[in-house]
């Protein structure tokens, strides 16, 4: 004799899949002034904070595009975020800030809200002594240029 049972499914709140920043079209990356060759790709889970990122290199800097389940408010309240300013990005709530990076020194981020949390555009020095340019100005410019390649 066989018996069967019914299940009501898994209890809990569904978790949204993080957007993959490596899906930004190469043409869009290139149009933003960055070499579209990917130099690093990762998915990282730190406790409940999940991250996906894709890194590119252009001359004196690295561009890392990060997708996270963290909200913009959580990013804003991070102890690592310095000199936070609201920044206008078409159709988005966005901020720009510095963060100290042990490897490359100061990094600048421009971050905006998306449905699953936030997307961040980090510009950091590539370690070249000839590094020139304003990392925050560049981060803001790239975030603005790639805005339409990122889901709402």
């Amino acid at each position: 004799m066989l018996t069967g049972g019914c299940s009501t499914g898994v209890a809990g709140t569904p978790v949204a899949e993080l957007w993959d920043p490596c899906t930004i079209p190469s043409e869009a990356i290139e149009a933003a002034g960055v070499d579209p060759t990917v130099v690093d790709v990762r998915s990282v889970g730190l406790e409940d904070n999940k991250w996906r990122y894709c890194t590119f290199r252009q001359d004196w800097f690295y561009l890392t595009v990060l997708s996270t389940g963290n909200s913009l408010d959580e990013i804003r309240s991070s102890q690592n975020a310095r000199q936070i300013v609201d920044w206008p990005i078409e159709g988005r709530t966005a901020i720009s800030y510095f963060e100290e990076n042990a490897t490359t020194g100061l990094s600048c981020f421009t971050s905006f809200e998306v449905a699953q949390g936030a997307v961040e555009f980090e510009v950091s020095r590539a370690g070249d002594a000839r590094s020139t340019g304003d990392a925050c100005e560049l981060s803001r410019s790239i975030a603005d240029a790639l805005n339409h390649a990122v889901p709402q």
Side-chain angles (χ1 to χ4, degrees), residues 3-16:
T3 61
C6 294
S7 170
T8 58
V10 177
T13 305
V15 178

PDB file of all heavy atoms in Angstrom, residues 3-16:
ATOM      1  N   THR A   3       1.204   5.402   0.385  1.00  0.00           N
ATOM      2  CA  THR A   3       0.512   6.558   0.938  1.00  0.00           C
ATOM      3  C   THR A   3       1.195   7.805   0.434  1.00  0.00           C
ATOM      4  O   THR A   3       2.368   7.795   0.081  1.00  0.00           O
ATOM      5  CB  THR A   3       0.539   6.561   2.492  1.00  0.00           C
ATOM      6  OG1 THR A   3       1.893   6.605   2.914  1.00  0.00           O
ATOM      7  CG2 THR A   3      -0.174   5.345   3.045  1.00  0.00           C
ATOM      8  N   GLY A   4       0.518   8.843   0.368  1.00  0.00           N
ATOM      9  CA  GLY A   4       1.074  10.107  -0.118  1.00  0.00           C
ATOM     10  C   GLY A   4       0.742  11.220   0.838  1.00  0.00           C
ATOM     11  O   GLY A   4      -0.105  11.087   1.708  1.00  0.00           O
ATOM     12  N   GLY A   5       1.411  12.287   0.690  1.00  0.00           N
ATOM     13  CA  GLY A   5       1.151  13.450   1.521  1.00  0.00           C
ATOM     14  C   GLY A   5       1.293  14.713   0.706  1.00  0.00           C
ATOM     15  O   GLY A   5       1.823  14.693  -0.395  1.00  0.00           O
ATOM     16  N   CYS A   6       0.773  15.735   1.232  1.00  0.00           N
ATOM     17  CA  CYS A   6       0.860  17.027   0.560  1.00  0.00           C
ATOM     18  C   CYS A   6       1.713  17.959   1.401  1.00  0.00           C
ATOM     19  O   CYS A   6       1.703  17.907   2.620  1.00  0.00           O
ATOM     20  CB  CYS A   6      -0.524  17.640   0.390  1.00  0.00           C
ATOM     21  SG  CYS A   6      -1.575  16.685  -0.719  1.00  0.00           S
ATOM     22  N   SER A   7       2.420  18.800   0.744  1.00  0.00           N
ATOM     23  CA  SER A   7       3.235  19.787   1.432  1.00  0.00           C
ATOM     24  C   SER A   7       2.750  21.160   1.035  1.00  0.00           C
ATOM     25  O   SER A   7       2.346  21.391  -0.101  1.00  0.00           O
ATOM     26  CB  SER A   7       4.704  19.629   1.026  1.00  0.00           C
ATOM     27  OG  SER A   7       5.465  20.707   1.504  1.00  0.00           O
ATOM     28  N   THR A   8       2.784  22.055   1.969  1.00  0.00           N
ATOM     29  CA  THR A   8       2.387  23.428   1.671  1.00  0.00           C
ATOM     30  C   THR A   8       3.569  24.247   1.175  1.00  0.00           C
ATOM     31  O   THR A   8       3.459  25.433   0.949  1.00  0.00           O
ATOM     32  CB  THR A   8       1.788  24.107   2.928  1.00  0.00           C
ATOM     33  OG1 THR A   8       2.766  24.074   3.962  1.00  0.00           O
ATOM     34  CG2 THR A   8       0.513  23.415   3.346  1.00  0.00           C
ATOM     35  N   GLY A   9       4.730  23.626   1.032  1.00  0.00           N
ATOM     36  CA  GLY A   9       5.905  24.336   0.526  1.00  0.00           C
ATOM     37  C   GLY A   9       6.835  24.708   1.653  1.00  0.00           C
ATOM     38  O   GLY A   9       6.695  24.271   2.788  1.00  0.00           O
ATOM     39  N   VAL A  10       7.796  25.511   1.330  1.00  0.00           N
ATOM     40  CA  VAL A  10       8.804  25.943   2.290  1.00  0.00           C
ATOM     41  C   VAL A  10       8.321  27.224   2.951  1.00  0.00           C
ATOM     42  O   VAL A  10       7.874  28.151   2.278  1.00  0.00           O
ATOM     43  CB  VAL A  10      10.155  26.184   1.580  1.00  0.00           C
ATOM     44  CG1 VAL A  10      11.186  26.701   2.551  1.00  0.00           C
ATOM     45  CG2 VAL A  10      10.623  24.915   0.910  1.00  0.00           C
ATOM     46  N   ALA A  11       8.407  27.248   4.268  1.00  0.00           N
ATOM     47  CA  ALA A  11       7.999  28.446   4.999  1.00  0.00           C
ATOM     48  C   ALA A  11       9.073  29.515   4.880  1.00  0.00           C
ATOM     49  O   ALA A  11      10.248  29.224   4.705  1.00  0.00           O
ATOM     50  CB  ALA A  11       7.772  28.098   6.469  1.00  0.00           C
ATOM     51  N   GLY A  12       8.669  30.773   5.008  1.00  0.00           N
ATOM     52  CA  GLY A  12       9.640  31.859   4.988  1.00  0.00           C
ATOM     53  C   GLY A  12       9.363  32.839   3.873  1.00  0.00           C
ATOM     54  O   GLY A  12       8.455  32.676   3.072  1.00  0.00           O
ATOM     55  N   THR A  13      10.181  33.842   3.826  1.00  0.00           N
ATOM     56  CA  THR A  13      10.058  34.886   2.825  1.00  0.00           C
ATOM     57  C   THR A  13      10.931  34.554   1.624  1.00  0.00           C
ATOM     58  O   THR A  13      12.087  34.191   1.790  1.00  0.00           O
ATOM     59  CB  THR A  13      10.524  36.236   3.419  1.00  0.00           C
ATOM     60  OG1 THR A  13       9.785  36.482   4.609  1.00  0.00           O
ATOM     61  CG2 THR A  13      10.327  37.364   2.446  1.00  0.00           C
ATOM     62  N   PRO A  14      10.383  34.645   0.417  1.00  0.00           N
ATOM     63  CA  PRO A  14      11.214  34.370  -0.754  1.00  0.00           C
ATOM     64  C   PRO A  14      12.369  35.369  -0.847  1.00  0.00           C
ATOM     65  O   PRO A  14      12.232  36.534  -0.525  1.00  0.00           O
ATOM     66  CB  PRO A  14      10.263  34.552  -1.943  1.00  0.00           C
ATOM     67  CG  PRO A  14       8.950  34.943  -1.395  1.00  0.00           C
ATOM     68  CD  PRO A  14       9.038  35.035   0.095  1.00  0.00           C
ATOM     69  N   VAL A  15      13.508  34.897  -1.279  1.00  0.00           N
ATOM     70  CA  VAL A  15      14.691  35.733  -1.413  1.00  0.00           C
ATOM     71  C   VAL A  15      14.886  36.068  -2.885  1.00  0.00           C
ATOM     72  O   VAL A  15      14.916  35.180  -3.727  1.00  0.00           O
ATOM     73  CB  VAL A  15      15.942  34.998  -0.869  1.00  0.00           C
ATOM     74  CG1 VAL A  15      17.184  35.850  -1.065  1.00  0.00           C
ATOM     75  CG2 VAL A  15      15.748  34.645   0.590  1.00  0.00           C
ATOM     76  N   ALA A  16      15.001  37.342  -3.178  1.00  0.00           N
ATOM     77  CA  ALA A  16      15.198  37.776  -4.561  1.00  0.00           C
ATOM     78  C   ALA A  16      16.610  37.411  -5.004  1.00  0.00           C
ATOM     79  O   ALA A  16      17.570  37.555  -4.254  1.00  0.00           O
ATOM     80  CB  ALA A  16      14.979  39.274  -4.678  1.00  0.00           C
TER      81      ALA A  16
END
